[in-house]
């Protein structure tokens, strides 16, 4: 099953690293998410299911190789990460912004 998050603009949410997919609806507000470390070989996909205006989703993994945040700022944007050697590694993205 997928984790479902509805953005509220004020409370950071932990992304569930036990499910393969997290869907985030940012229609009402921007949203910040934290993502803990996974286990070697784990794959995690995060999807922006809806966004209104400039509502962005900012994801801050505990350890992201070469970067510090991932931003999904439009409906349908996705990021897929692989956890290996103590870091999340972005292995696929659709329209995302990954920042150092």
């Amino acid at each position: 099953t997928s984790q479902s998050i509805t953005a509220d603009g004020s409370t950071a949410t932990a992304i569930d690293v036990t499910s393969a997919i997290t869907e985030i609806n940012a229609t009402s507000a921007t949203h910040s998410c934290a993502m803990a470390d996974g286990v070697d070989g784990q794959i995690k996909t995060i999807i922006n299911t809806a966004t209104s205006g400039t509502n962005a989703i900012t994801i801050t993994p505990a350890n992201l190789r070469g970067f510090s945040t991932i931003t999904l700022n439009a409906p349908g944007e996705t990021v897929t990460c692989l956890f290996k050697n103590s870091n999340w590694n972005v292995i696929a993205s659709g329209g995302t912004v990954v920042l150092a």
Side-chain angles (χ1 to χ4, degrees):
T1 61
S2 298
Q3 176 189 22
S4 180
I5 296 172
T6 300
D8 66 13
S10 62
T11 305
T13 303
I15 289 177
D16 177 1
V17 295
T18 60
S19 62
I21 299 169
T22 295
E23 301 173 76
I24 304 172
N25 181 329
T27 300
S28 300
T30 60
H31 203 70
S32 296
C33 296
M35 188 162 71
D37 288 346
V39 296
D40 265 4
Q42 180 178 353
I43 294 176
K44 179 70 182 183
T45 299
I46 303 161
I47 305 166
N48 180 340
T49 59
T51 300
S52 178
T54 58
N55 293 343
I57 299 161
T58 302
I59 304 156
T60 306
N63 291 290
L64 179 62
R65 186 174 311 279
F67 303 97
S68 60
T69 62
I70 301 166
T71 302
L72 307 175
N73 57 14
E77 289 187 347
T78 64
V79 64
T80 300
C81 298
L82 167 70
F83 193 80
K84 186 68 179 162
N85 298 326
S86 302
N87 284 282
W88 285 107
N89 299 271
V90 175
I91 60 171
S93 68
T96 60
V97 178
V98 183
L99 299 172

